[in-house]
Amino acid sequence: MSFTAVICKFKPYKWERAVSRWNLPFKLLQSMKEESVFEAEVSPQALSQLSKFPKEVQGEVKGLVEEMKGLVGNNTRLIRNLLTIKTIPAACVTFRILGVEGSAWLLGKDFERLYLPKVPLTFDSWLQLKDWFSVGLAVASLLGFWVFWLGVRSLRGNYAFSGFSVFLSLFGGSLWLVSHLVLLFRRPVAGLVLFALAAFLTFLLFSSP
């Protein structure tokens, strides 16, 4: 008695594509909860089956079918092809905050995920940068006021190096004026507070002998 054994080896092939006009990362879409699932069997020999797929993905389905044809050879034939199409809702929101433009996406069945691509300057860092810039202007204004007063005091006391005293007065006064005007334009309240403080200190300094 003899037996003939036929051994069939099945090697599964898998393709995964994302069809999105926003070119969102595929790994991100994989983790989202789909809204609907459409499954159908396809055959490389019957492209007429494409009509039963949604129009939005027919081009991608045709590309997958062409890749399937490349698998068919002398020792290989396709047994079963199953195509699964998952629909993942996505909403794009464009925004502009303090001169920074960008886009964010809400993804998933219940829009449970917010996707905000990394940009060189994020909103938080932009806001912090603007705050630190205002602080820098305030420091420059106070520093300019102090240098200006040193120059004026040197000129009043007829100290040596009068040329250097004039330079201090001009440099300090310019730094004080420019930084204070910019700060007043950016942060009116802070500018007014510093202006009042500078006026009070000027009154005290010039009234002192």
Side-chain angles (χ1 to χ4, degrees), residues 27-40:
K27 290 184 178 180
L28 176 67
L29 297 176
Q30 277 183 314
S31 61
M32 293 296 98
K33 187 177 181 181
E34 64 273 3
E35 183 180 43
S36 61
V37 179
F38 175 82
E39 291 187 346

Side-chain angles (χ1 to χ4, degrees), residues 68 106-108 114 177:
M68 292 177 190
L106 298 172
L107 303 171
L114 172 65
L177 179 63

Side-chain angles (χ1 to χ4, degrees), residues 134-147:
S134 298
V135 173
L137 289 174
V139 172
S141 177
L142 293 175
L143 180 62
F145 176 78
W146 178 67
V147 174

Side-chain angles (χ1 to χ4, degrees), residues 23 33 41 52 56 70 92 98 113 121 131 149-150 153 164:
N23 195 24
K33 187 177 181 181
E41 294 188 8
K52 61 184 179 182
E56 294 81 3
C92 181
L98 298 177
R113 175 74 177 273
L121 191 63
D131 292 339
W149 170 245
L150 287 180
R153 185 180 178 184
F164 183 68

Side-chain angles (χ1 to χ4, degrees), residues 4-205:
T4 300
V6 179
I7 300 176
C8 297
K9 295 182 179 180
F10 295 91
K11 183 178 181 180
Y13 288 88
K14 185 177 183 180
W15 293 271
E16 292 180 319
R17 301 281 179 86
V19 182
S20 172
R21 60 188 177 94
W22 291 313
N23 195 24
L24 296 174
F26 180 72
K27 290 184 178 180
L28 176 67
L29 297 176
Q30 277 183 314
S31 61
M32 293 296 98
K33 187 177 181 181
E34 64 273 3
E35 183 180 43
S36 61
V37 179
F38 175 82
E39 291 187 346
E41 294 188 8
V42 294
S43 172
Q45 292 77 26
L47 289 179
S48 60
Q49 298 174 341
L50 293 178
S51 59
K52 61 184 179 182
F53 296 106
K55 294 182 179 180
E56 294 81 3
V57 296
Q58 287 185 4
E60 291 293 329
V61 172
K62 185 177 180 180
L64 292 175
V65 170
E66 293 295 332
E67 291 188 23
M68 292 177 190
K69 288 183 178 181
L71 293 177
V72 180
N74 296 329
N75 300 321
T76 305
R77 67 187 182 96
L78 295 178
I79 303 299
R80 184 172 181 266
N81 306 305
L82 179 65
L83 181 67
T84 302
I85 299 175
K86 297 181 179 181
T87 303
I88 300 175
C92 181
V93 180
T94 57
F95 49 81
R96 179 183 179 89
I97 301 178
L98 298 177
V100 179
E101 296 182 354
S103 299
W105 287 267
L106 298 172
L107 303 171
K109 182 178 180 181
D110 300 317
F111 295 113
E112 71 275 8
R113 175 74 177 273
L114 172 65
Y115 172 63
L116 180 62
K118 293 182 179 180
V119 293
L121 191 63
T122 61
F123 301 126
D124 293 337
S125 63
W126 176 254
L127 294 176
Q128 293 175 3
L129 179 62
K130 291 176 74 69
D131 292 339
W132 279 111
F133 187 65
S134 298
V135 173
L137 289 174
V139 172
S141 177
L142 293 175
L143 180 62
F145 176 78
W146 178 67
V147 174
F148 172 74
W149 170 245
L150 287 180
V152 172
R153 185 180 178 184
S154 299
L155 291 175
R156 288 181 62 189
N158 294 322
Y159 295 156
F161 305 103
S162 58
F164 183 68
S165 301
V166 172
F167 171 76
L168 286 180
S169 301
L170 294 177
F171 175 75
S174 301
L175 181 62
W176 177 26
L177 179 63
V178 173
S179 59
H180 197 84
L181 288 177
V182 177
L183 179 65
L184 189 64
F185 177 77
R186 292 171 56 87
R187 296 287 189 270
V189 176
L192 291 175
V193 171
L194 276 182
F195 178 78
L197 179 61
F200 178 71
L201 291 176
T202 303
F203 173 76
L204 291 180
L205 294 173

